[in-house]
């Protein structure tokens, strides 16, 4: 479906159909829009299947062909040497040494070329996306297949995402100091056409669609459909409600290490409806701007998830410089890497609510976020078996566009609080990284 004419026809036809078909409340109109777009697109173009990677062998270059030929000649010479008399062996040995030397020089030239080519490719990949390159370089090989029954997966999801203390207040922590009132107010007006277009433009065309089945590509190619969706966004923003389809996430398990088999060796990825991701991207961009402009986030320390800050390059450069100075000055240096187990999946929703109160997020925005997280449902597919829907009672969803800034806000409170020293902590504060346990603040 690459024809521009086909996209124009789809844009024009759906533009007319949507004008007369969207009836009822705004939630129902959004459901109708996505259903019509999906069904008409499927009827005209079918469902796009993921292409399997072809394992076609690359044609050997001139030097590789020469190496193959030289190796064949060496084998022939060795066979002839065994069958020859003493006089012939002297001549064959001389020819063999000459061929072997030629093979050595050719191999060295080919290895040097491949090495330079590899270095240039790695350099280009690093400059293009330092984070992904470093992640690939240090992450190691990730392979495996999950061997679990449907009941085992459902039990794991229930244990991971259920929270008996979900409604329990976190309580007061003396280390968490109140933040000053914002100098720059949060933008609470309805999403603008420009904001929505920028989000869609930056989105990856190849991103897999979620529950609605509609990919980003439709909204990139069909501005009339996108404008109709934007108009519904504005009504939805005023009302402060969330369509149920936006709260349903289809998930899968991805291996974290080589030869993964057990469910603990896999991480989850969730696919959400593109329409909801566009809507919450606008909200996330505004929230990030608000947090940075009011200096609630220390960008010298926190860089991940903050637009405009190349955290991977800067942190790596600083760390490399510190190691270099320690080596050259023969000084001691301790580098500690901390990894929070299931960090995204362990954040209590009460901590998210507390973070929004702590940073003076307006009530209307807070209502939208809490309404969204209050109804998120997850289900996962393993070996063509799909689990029942699991309510998300704690944690945030990987793949959700509002989740990164909410995670940063929550972590920011904990990191700032950890800097404070309190000799006699009396109050208790729930640590988000330790499931439902309570620890001293």
């Amino acid at each position: 479906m690459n024809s521009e004419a086909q996209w124009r026809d789809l844009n024009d036809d759906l533009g007319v159909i949507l004008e007369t078909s969207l009836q009822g409340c705004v939630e129902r109109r959004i459901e109708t829009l996505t259903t019509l777009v999906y069904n008409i697109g499927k009827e005209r173009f079918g469902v796009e299947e993921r292409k399997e990677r072809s394992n076609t062998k690359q044609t050997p270059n001139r030097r590789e062909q020469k190496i193959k030929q030289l190796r064949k000649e060496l084998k022939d010479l060795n066979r002839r040497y065994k069958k020859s008399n003493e006089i012939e062996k002297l001549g064959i040995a001389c020819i063999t040494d000459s061929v072997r030397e030629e093979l050595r020089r050719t191999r060295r030239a080919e290895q040097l070329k491949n090495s330079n080519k590899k270095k240039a490719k790695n350099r280009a990949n690093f400059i293009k996306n330092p984070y992904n390159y470093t992640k690939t370089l240090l992450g190691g090989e990730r392979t495996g297949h999950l061997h679990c029954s449907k009941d085992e997966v459902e039990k794991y999801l229930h244990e991971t995402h259920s929270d008996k203390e979900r409604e329990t207040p976190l309580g007061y922590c003396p280390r968490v100091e109140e933040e000053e009132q914002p100098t720059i107010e949060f933008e609470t007006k309805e999403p603008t056409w420009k904001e929505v277009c920028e989000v869609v433009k930056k989105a990856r065309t190849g991103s897999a669609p979620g529950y609605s089945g509609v990919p980003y590509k439709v909204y990139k190619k069909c501005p009339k459909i996108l404008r109709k969706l934007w108009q519904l966004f504005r009504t939805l923003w005023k009302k402060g409600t969330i369509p149920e389809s936006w709260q349903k996430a289809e998930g899968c398990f991805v291996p974290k290490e080589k030869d993964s088999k057990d469910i603990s060796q896999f991480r989850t990825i969730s696919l959400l409806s593109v329409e909801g991701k566009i809507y919450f991207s606008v909200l996330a961009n505004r929230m990030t701007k608000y947090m940075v402009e009011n200096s609630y986030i220390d960008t010298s320390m926190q860089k991940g998830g903050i637009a405009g800050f190349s955290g991977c390059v800067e942190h790596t450069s600083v760390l490399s410089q510190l190691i270099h100075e320690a080596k050259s000055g023969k000084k001691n240096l301790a580098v500690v890497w901390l990894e929070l187990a299931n960090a995204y999946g362990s954040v209590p929703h009460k901590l998210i609510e507390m973070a929004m109160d702590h940073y003076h997020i307006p009530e209307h925005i807070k209502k939208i976020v809490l309404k969204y997280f209050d109804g998120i449902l997850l289900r996962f597919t393993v070996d063509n078996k799909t689990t029942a829907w699991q309510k998300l009672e704690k944690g945030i969803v990987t793949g959700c566009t509002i989740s990164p800034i909410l995670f940063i806000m929550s972590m920011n409170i904990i990191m700032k609080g950890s800097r404070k020293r309190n000799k006699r902590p009396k109050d208790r504060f729930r640590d988000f990284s330790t499931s439902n346990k309570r620890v001293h603040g």
Side-chain angles (χ1 to χ4, degrees), residues 61-75:
N61 59 34
R62 178 183 57 80
R63 194 179 284 117
E64 288 173 335
Q65 292 175 355
K66 184 178 180 181
I67 290 172
K68 184 178 180 180
Q69 181 61 32
L70 291 171
R71 291 183 63 187
K72 183 180 178 182
E73 289 179 12
L74 278 177
K75 289 181 180 179

Side-chain angles (χ1 to χ4, degrees), residues 126 134 312-328 333 335 337:
F126 178 77
T134 307
C312 180
V313 175
E314 184 171 336
H315 283 322
T316 303
S317 300
V318 171
L319 184 59
S320 299
Q321 181 63 24
L322 290 172
I323 293 173
H324 174 73
E325 291 176 359
K327 284 184 175 181
S328 59
L333 176 66
V335 180
W337 298 87

Side-chain angles (χ1 to χ4, degrees), residues 117-384:
K117 187 176 180 180
K118 185 178 179 181
K119 287 179 182 178
K121 183 179 179 180
N122 290 339
R123 190 182 301 110
N125 288 337
F126 178 77
I127 293 172
K128 181 180 179 181
N129 194 326
Y131 174 76
N132 281 346
Y133 176 79
T134 307
K135 183 180 177 182
T136 304
L137 186 66
L138 302 178
E141 186 179 357
R142 296 180 178 88
T143 58
H145 182 76
L146 181 59
H147 297 281
C148 282
S149 65
K150 178 181 174 181
D151 292 337
E152 289 174 322
V153 175
E154 289 182 343
K155 180 182 178 182
Y156 171 82
L157 294 175
H158 178 74
E159 292 174 351
T160 304
H161 298 295
S162 296
D163 186 4
K164 295 179 181 179
E165 298 185 15
R166 186 171 187 266
E167 300 301 326
T168 305
L170 297 179
Y172 169 72
C173 178
R175 295 188 183 185
V176 179
E177 297 181 349
E178 290 187 10
E179 292 286 350
E180 296 181 358
Q181 290 293 326
T183 55
I184 300 175
E185 295 297 324
F186 195 107
E187 178 58 76
T188 57
K189 293 182 180 179
E190 298 84 14
T192 65
W193 173 244
K194 182 180 179 181
E195 286 178 306
V196 171
C197 289
E198 285 178 353
V199 169
V200 174
K201 183 179 179 180
K202 291 179 180 179
R204 290 193 307 113
T205 305
S207 295
Y211 185 77
S212 68
V214 181
Y216 277 114
K217 193 172 185 179
V218 172
Y219 299 110
K220 285 176 177 285
K221 295 286 189 178
C222 303
K224 290 183 180 179
I225 303 174
L226 180 60
R227 181 169 286 274
K228 180 59 66 175
L229 181 65
W230 165 64
Q231 293 169 352
L232 295 175
F233 281 170
R234 293 173 64 84
T235 305
L236 196 69
W237 186 284
K238 293 177 185 177
K239 192 175 179 181
T241 56
I242 305 296
E244 291 184 2
S245 62
W246 292 6
Q247 296 174 300
K248 292 182 178 180
E250 301 279 0
C252 61
F253 289 92
V254 179
K256 295 190 290 186
E257 53 195 78
K258 187 176 181 180
D259 297 329
S260 300
K261 294 180 181 179
D262 187 77
I263 198 167
S264 62
Q265 297 175 297
F266 289 77
R267 63 184 178 91
T268 58
I269 291 180
S270 301
L271 301 177
L272 293 148
S273 294
V274 161
E275 297 76 22
K277 291 171 73 174
I278 297 172
Y279 181 85
F280 280 107
S281 289
V282 174
L283 180 54
N285 291 340
R286 290 186 180 183
M287 194 173 289
T288 303
K289 182 180 179 182
Y290 167 83
M291 292 291 292
V292 173
E293 288 182 345
N294 288 289
S295 300
Y296 289 145
I297 295 177
D298 183 2
T299 52
S300 66
M301 176 178 61
Q302 174 62 47
K303 299 184 185 297
I306 306 296
F309 292 91
S310 186
C312 180
V313 175
E314 184 171 336
H315 283 322
T316 303
S317 300
V318 171
L319 184 59
S320 299
Q321 181 63 24
L322 290 172
I323 293 173
H324 174 73
E325 291 176 359
K327 284 184 175 181
S328 59
K330 296 183 179 180
K331 300 176 182 179
N332 293 327
L333 176 66
V335 180
V336 181
W337 298 87
L338 297 177
E339 181 180 1
L340 299 175
N342 191 26
Y344 258 39
S346 301
V347 181
H349 292 177
K350 281 294 180 183
L351 181 58
I352 295 174
E353 183 177 356
M354 173 189 171
M356 289 192 288
D357 288 334
H358 185 74
Y359 294 114
H360 312 291
I361 301 297
E363 279 298 318
H364 182 65
I365 304 301
K366 178 182 169 184
K367 174 186 173 184
I368 292 174
V369 174
L370 294 180
K371 179 74 174 177
Y372 174 57
F373 276 92
D374 190 53
I376 293 180
L377 298 174
L378 307 165
R379 70 179 180 184
F380 288 77
T381 301
V382 180
D383 290 335
N384 297 322

Side-chain angles (χ1 to χ4, degrees), residues 347 351-352 355 405-415:
V347 181
L351 181 58
I352 295 174
I405 185 60
L406 294 175
F407 179 77
I408 290 170
M409 290 166 61
S410 303
M411 282 296 297
N412 208 47
I413 294 177
I414 295 173
M415 294 177 74

Side-chain angles (χ1 to χ4, degrees), residues 10 25 83 92 176 252 271 308 330 358 386 394 413 424:
L10 179 66
C25 64
K83 298 178 181 179
I92 293 174
V176 179
C252 61
L271 301 177
K330 296 183 179 180
H358 185 74
T386 303
K394 67 177 177 181
I413 294 177
R424 298 172 60 187

Side-chain angles (χ1 to χ4, degrees), residues 390-413:
Q390 167 66 43
K391 185 175 176 62
L392 185 75
E393 296 181 353
K394 67 177 177 181
I396 50 185
V397 184
T398 53
C400 168
T401 50
I402 191 69
S403 289
I405 185 60
L406 294 175
F407 179 77
I408 290 170
M409 290 166 61
S410 303
M411 282 296 297
N412 208 47
I413 294 177

